């Protein structure tokens, strides 16, 4: 019983628990009425954090680049960031991030204050940026979740937009050292300061309060003057044909998780609440009382939902405790002498003979001759009728007579439709008999539509109970 209860609980809680962290009552009989409101005090995890980091920016797409400059060297700048992070779900969050840094690009490193030879300048760009980033936790989307394996690594994806303010400086080549001059300046929160960045980070969970993260971001400045090569059509701004100077920013940082709980939502196992409930139930014995009112008639259905409390002993019942009556003739199967053939109560559920004999009880031969019944508007032979037809094969083959296989219908529908339906029923029965060994020479199929009713009083059909109309939808046999 406990195992079944645990299984039901796991299935019922899987979906809502993957998105929620509120505490719920551990009472197994409490139901949804004891679900506590989702408040700051009821959360089982933290969802705020602060991140800081520093790294190296490298201009990759510009007139002057940091990667493999004119002297075949890489020019490294510096960058730093700080962000306030909010986890929305265990797999998605938003970060408000501030970046500050300086890129170095072109023929030489401007911090060395050296003479530049050749035809290409050098430059540096100081920038400040504020952006909103979406944070997608791929590991929580794709990982295998269980309550055994500790998860220490997580792959995150970032993308967002913001405002980028910068000052770019250029040093021109010449025989002597040329001082760096301000090439371009962009103020923050202007239309031309809009930029975007996207990238990925790999986090390592040091402990419940600190994460270590290596991150690579690709920054699209949206500005061709960011590298300091020149403004508009002047200077060296036409060296490369692009409209945006872009750079990689590689950083190493720390995330400090804020809050009173041990677990943070970005490290939250979606099945954690289920494990919690299972642990509670494993330590708790719950005796479930079944059939509080008992089972008076001993039919296997509790009196709490038994619709027939006086079912006779030995009768088969349905799920509501009602005795079965397969042929719907008003005689339950326990007392019905003809379980699959409807008949009046006074004849123990069996139909009366065609000639209304003195006993009124149908013999085996009469049952075979009477034939089988069909569903409404159907010529399909029902599986429940195949025993009668199989007996009919032996009866026909052992008899010296030939037989008519006669199809009939009830009075629903037009005469033309019923005539065709009766012929199809007769031919289907004849084909079945022949295919299963009956002598073909002894059989003739004939359809009589609604002209030869077993219960003539069923005209129209609404005047009779359904079991009589069903008895009219038949195929029966007559000896020639």
């Amino acid at each position: 019983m406990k195992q079944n209860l645990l299984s039901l609980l796991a299935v019922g809680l899987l979906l809502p628990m993957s998105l929620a962290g509120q505490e719920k009552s551990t009472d197994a009989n409490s139901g949804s009425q004891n679900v506590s409101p989702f408040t700051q005090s009821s959360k089982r995890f933290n969802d705020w954090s602060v991140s800081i980091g520093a790294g190296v920016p490298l201009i990759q797409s510009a007139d002057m680049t940091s990667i493999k400059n004119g002297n075949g060297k890489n020019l490294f700048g510096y960058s730093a960031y700080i962000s306030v992070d909010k986890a929305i779900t265990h797999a998605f969050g938003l970060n408000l991030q501030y970046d500050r840094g300086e890129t170095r690009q072109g023929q030489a490193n401007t911090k060395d204050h050296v003479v530049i030879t050749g035809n290409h300048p050098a430059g540096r760009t100081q920038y400040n940026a504020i952006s909103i980033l979406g944070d997608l936790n791929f590991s929580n989307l794709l990982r295998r979740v269980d309550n055994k394996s500790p998860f220490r690594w997580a792959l995150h994806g970032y993308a967002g937009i913001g405002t980028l303010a910068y000052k770019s400086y250029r040093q021109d080549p010449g025989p002597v050292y040329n001082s760096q001059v301000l090439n371009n300046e962009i103020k923050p929160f202007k239309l031309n300061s809009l930029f975007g960045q996207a990238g990925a980070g790999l986090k390592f969970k040091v402990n419940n309060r600190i994460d270590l993260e290596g991150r690579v971001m690709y920054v699209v400045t949206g500005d061709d003057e960011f590298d300091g090569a020149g403004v508009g059509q002047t200077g060296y701004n036409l060296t490369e044909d692009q409209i945006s100077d872009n750079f990689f920013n590689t950083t190493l940082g720390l995330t400090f998780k804020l809050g009173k709980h041990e677990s943070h939502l970005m490290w939250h196992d979606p099945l954690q609440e289920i494990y919690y409930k299972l642990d509670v139930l494993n330590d708790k014995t719950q005796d479930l009382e079944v059939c509080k009112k008992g089972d008076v008639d001993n039919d296997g259905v509790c009196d709490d939902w038994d619709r027939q409390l006086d079912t006779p002993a030995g009768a088969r019942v349905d799920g509501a405790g009602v005795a079965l009556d397969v042929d719907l003739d008003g005689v339950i199967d326990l007392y019905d002498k003809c379980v699959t053939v409807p008949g009046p109560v006074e004849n123990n559920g069996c139909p009366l003979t065609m000639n209304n004999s003195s006993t009124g009880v149908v013999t085996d031969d009469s049952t075979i001759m009477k034939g089988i019944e069909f569903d409404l508007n159907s010529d399909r032979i029902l599986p429940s009728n195949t025993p009668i037809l199989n007996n009919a094969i032996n009866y026909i083959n052992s008899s010296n007579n030939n037989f008519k296989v006669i199809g009939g219908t009830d009075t629903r529908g037009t005469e033309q439709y019923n005539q065709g339906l009766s012929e199809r029923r007769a031919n289907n029965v004849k084909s079945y008999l022949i295919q299963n060994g009956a002598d073909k020479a002894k059989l003739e199929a004939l359809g009589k539509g609604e002209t030869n009713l077993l219960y003539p009083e069923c005209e129209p059909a609404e005047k009779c109970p359904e079991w009589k109309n069903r008895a009219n939808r038949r195929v029966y046999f007559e000896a020639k």
Side-chain angles (χ1 to χ4, degrees), residues 188-321:
F189 305 109
K190 303 292 185 181
L191 184 61
N192 60 351
S193 71
L194 187 67
F195 85 106
Q197 59 176 326
L202 184 62
K203 281 191 174 184
F204 173 73
K205 183 179 179 182
V206 178
N207 54 44
N208 288 334
R209 292 298 174 185
I210 299 175
D211 296 338
L212 178 66
E213 180 181 24
R215 189 186 299 183
V216 178
M217 301 294 291
Y218 188 70
V219 181
V220 179
T221 69
D223 192 339
D224 193 25
E225 285 78 42
F226 181 84
D227 62 347
V231 178
Q233 303 298 319
T234 63
Y236 307 89
N237 204 41
L238 300 179
T239 304
E240 294 291 338
D241 184 18
Q242 71 268 325
I243 62 173
S244 177
D245 296 336
N246 306 329
F247 64 92
F248 287 101
N249 191 17
T250 304
T251 58
L252 184 65
L254 294 173
T255 297
F256 301 93
K257 291 164 279 189
L258 309 177
K260 65 179 181 179
H261 302 288
E262 292 187 2
S263 175
H264 188 274
L265 183 53
M266 279 297 185
W267 292 101
H268 181 64
D269 185 343
L271 298 182
Q272 176 179 330
E273 299 301 322
I274 291 179
Y275 309 144
Y276 169 74
K277 293 295 183 184
L278 293 182
D279 290 341
V280 170
L281 289 175
N282 281 333
D283 298 331
K284 180 177 180 180
T285 301
Q286 179 79 28
D287 295 327
L288 298 180
E289 185 178 358
V290 181
C291 287
K292 292 182 179 180
K293 296 182 180 179
D295 181 11
V296 174
D297 50 10
N298 294 316
D299 60 357
V301 180
C302 296
D303 292 348
D304 303 71
W305 52 83
D306 196 333
R307 293 174 53 194
Q308 187 176 23
L309 297 176
D310 58 350
T311 305
R316 296 183 303 159
V317 298
D318 59 18

Side-chain angles (χ1 to χ4, degrees), residues 18 90 116 129 396 447:
S18 66
H90 71 288
I116 300 177
I396 291 169

Side-chain angles (χ1 to χ4, degrees), residues 74-180:
N74 297 324
L75 302 180
F76 300 102
Y78 65 86
S79 67
Y81 73 88
I82 182 171
S83 69
V84 178
D85 313 325
K86 167 67 174 176
I88 308 300
T89 72
H90 71 288
F92 179 74
L94 290 176
N95 302 345
L96 177 61
Q97 181 167 304
Y98 169 71
D99 290 270
R100 180 182 178 86
E102 178 177 297
T103 64
R104 299 189 177 101
Q105 55 274 346
Q107 187 70 16
N109 194 333
T110 54
K111 74 173 182 177
D112 296 335
H113 302 283
V114 298
V115 174
I116 300 177
T117 60
N119 299 320
H120 299 286
R124 65 186 177 92
T125 304
Q126 296 175 337
Y127 66 88
N128 295 274
I130 299 176
S131 57
I132 293 289
L133 297 177
D135 178 1
L136 187 61
N137 188 342
F138 290 108
S139 294
N140 264 1
L141 284 177
L142 305 175
R143 76 182 186 183
R144 174 179 60 88
V145 290
D146 56 41
N147 59 348
K148 302 296 183 183
S149 304
F151 287 91
R152 305 297 296 272
W153 296 91
L155 178 63
H156 287 247
Y158 303 95
I161 59 175
T163 179
L164 175 68
Y166 70 86
K167 291 181 179 180
S168 61
Y169 298 89
R170 186 180 74 247
Q171 179 183 342
D172 293 322
V176 296
Y177 173 73
N178 292 318
S179 298
Q180 301 167 35

Side-chain angles (χ1 to χ4, degrees), residues 407-455:
T409 67
D410 61 20
T411 56
R412 297 183 179 94
T414 64
E415 292 184 5
Q416 181 179 2
Y417 174 81
N418 286 337
Q419 179 61 34
L421 179 60
S422 67
E423 292 173 0
R424 293 195 299 274
R425 287 172 174 171
N427 285 319
N428 283 352
V429 172
K430 177 184 176 182
S431 298
Y432 178 90
L433 296 174
I434 294 173
Q435 291 172 3
N436 288 276
D439 188 349
K440 178 179 180 180
K442 290 187 174 184
L443 299 176
E444 175 188 356
L446 180 64
K448 290 190 176 182
E450 58 184 72
T451 60
N452 192 17
L453 300 176
L454 181 61
Y455 296 101

